[in-house]
Amino acid sequence: MCVGLLSSVAAHAVQAADCPGHPDAIGTSRTIVVDPRAHPLIGTMQYAKTLPLEDHEVVLTFDDGPLPKYSNQILAILAAHCAKATFFLVGRQAQGNPEGVRKVRDAGHTVATHTQNHPAGMHKLPIERSLQEIEQGIASVTAALGDGTAPAPFVRIPGLRVNDGMEAYARSKGLQIWSADFPADDWRNVSPNRVYDLAIQRLEAKGKGILLLHDIQPRTVAALPRILHELKARGYRIVHVVPATADRPATPTEPAQWLLHPPSEVVAISRWPKVPTFAEAGPAALPVPALSNLDWHTSDLGAHIARHGRGVPLPPAALWPRPTALPPATTAALPIPAPSLFKIPESTRLTLLATSVHGAPAAQARATEASSAKVAGKSGRSGRTAAARPPAPAVHTEPSPQHAAMTTAKPARSAKRNGRSVRVAGLKKR
Ligand SMILES: [Zn+2]
C-alpha cells in the first residue's frame, strides 16, 4: 500500500512537471487500463460499480462533440492543464467534422462514442433501432479517425436513457456503458458559475468519480478553467482511462475497488445502517387533535375519495362492511352442515390444481392485485372490474421487451381468475 501511495505521488509529480509553461496545471496523475468485458456497466448515477479510483481522483468526460467552435476551446484548456479526458462523440457530429475527431485523438484523449443521432428517448426506441444507433455511432467515429483504428469500446447513452436490451448488447459485444458519478448540469440553461459550483459540490459529496460535462456548451468552456484550478487547489488528481487491448493488459484491481465506497474491514460501523436521530424538543403533551384534522367528520363518509380500479372509476366505498345477518341468539346449537357442502365437483378441482402449479410470477401477480385492490377498498369489486376489461390489444405503439412480457402475461392472469370464480367468467363473457 505504501509502495502504491509513493508511486502515485511520484506519478503526480512527474505529470505536473510534464506540463511545461503551466506551473499551475493540474496535469494527469495516472492512466488506468480497463477491461469492458470484466466491468460492462459503470457510473454510480445508475450502477453499483464505478471506475476503480482512489480518493480524490477524478475522470473528466465530455459528451456530444465534436463541435469546432467550443470543442476546440475545451481541447485548448485541457492542453494548457495537461489534463486527459474521455470524449463521447456523436456519430453525426463526427461525419460533419471528422477533423475534430482526429484532434481529440491526436491530443491524447480517449475517443469514445455517444450514438449516431443522439436520440432523446433511447430507452423508448425499438431495441433494433437503439442498437443501430450505437453501432452507427461507432462506425461514423471509426470512419472519421481514418487510420483503421476504432474508438474505445466505451459508450454513453444519450440522456443516460439506457435499458436492459442495450445493457445486454453491451455485454455481448464487449462494450462498456458509461454512466457517470455526477453531472454539472451544463446542458441546462444555467450560468458558468453554477456549472462550476455543481461540479465542485457534487465531487466533494462523493470524494472521487466520473464528472459528466459537454464540450459543445459555451458555459462549459467558461467554467472549465476554474473547475480545473479548483480541483488542483483542493488536492484532486485527474485520471485518464483507456481500454485494455491485446498488448495493453488491464490495470490490476480488486473487485471492491470498483465500488465508490468499498466496505472497510476495520470500520465495523459501516456494516450497520445508521440509527436515525430524533429531535426530542417540543411540548411535553401532544396537542388534542381537532375534529377538522380527521377526514371522516363529513356526512358523505368517504364519498369524497375518488376511487379507481385500474383507471376505471368505482362507486364510493363504505367505511364499514355491510352488516351481515346473524342467526338469532336463541339458537342453542348450529345445524350440522350437510356433507354435500364439502364436495368439490370434478371439473372445479382440476381447475384449482392447474392454478396451483403456476410458478412464482403468477403468485406475485395475484399478490400485486390483492394489494392494489386493498388500496382501492374492496378487493372483490376491483378484481371483477379488471377481469371484465377486454383483453389488451396485440399491437402496441411502443413495442419493447417489457411490453411484450406484459401482453403475454395478461391472458394467463384472466385464465387464473376463470379458475377461481365462476362469476368472473360470467362477467367476462358480457
Ligand atoms: Zn449527450
Side-chain angles (χ1 to χ4, degrees), residues 15 25 60 82-83 86 89 100 110 145 154 169 189 191 195 215 250 280 284 290 296 348 359 368 397 400 414:
Q15 289 298 334
L60 301 174
C82 296
T86 299
L89 306 178
T110 298
L145 286 169
F154 303 159
Y169 175 80
N189 187 20
S191 68
V195 172
D215 56 317
E280 290 185 26
W296 46 262
T348 314
T368 311
T397 50
S400 72
S414 309

Side-chain angles (χ1 to χ4, degrees), residues 63-64 114 118 158 214:
D63 290 9
D64 297 0
H114 193 40
H118 202 280
H214 296 79

Side-chain angles (χ1 to χ4, degrees), residues 178-215:
W178 283 46
S179 181
D181 291 312
F182 32 84
D185 294 11
D186 60 339
W187 69 94
R188 296 185 201 277
N189 187 20
V190 298
S191 68
N193 279 347
R194 182 74 181 143
V195 172
Y196 162 84
D197 284 341
L198 289 175
I200 300 299
Q201 286 167 12
R202 289 172 176 170
L203 170 57
E204 287 280 33
K206 289 196 171 176
K208 61 179 178 177
I210 307 165
L211 173 60
L212 166 56
L213 294 168
H214 296 79
D215 56 317

Side-chain angles (χ1 to χ4, degrees), residues 291-308 313-320 376:
L291 193 60
S292 59
N293 292 142
L294 312 172
D295 64 356
W296 46 262
H297 67 284
T298 49
S299 57
D300 60 345
L301 286 179
H304 59 288
I305 304 166
R307 300 170 67 243
H308 293 274
L314 297 173
L319 289 186
W320 291 274

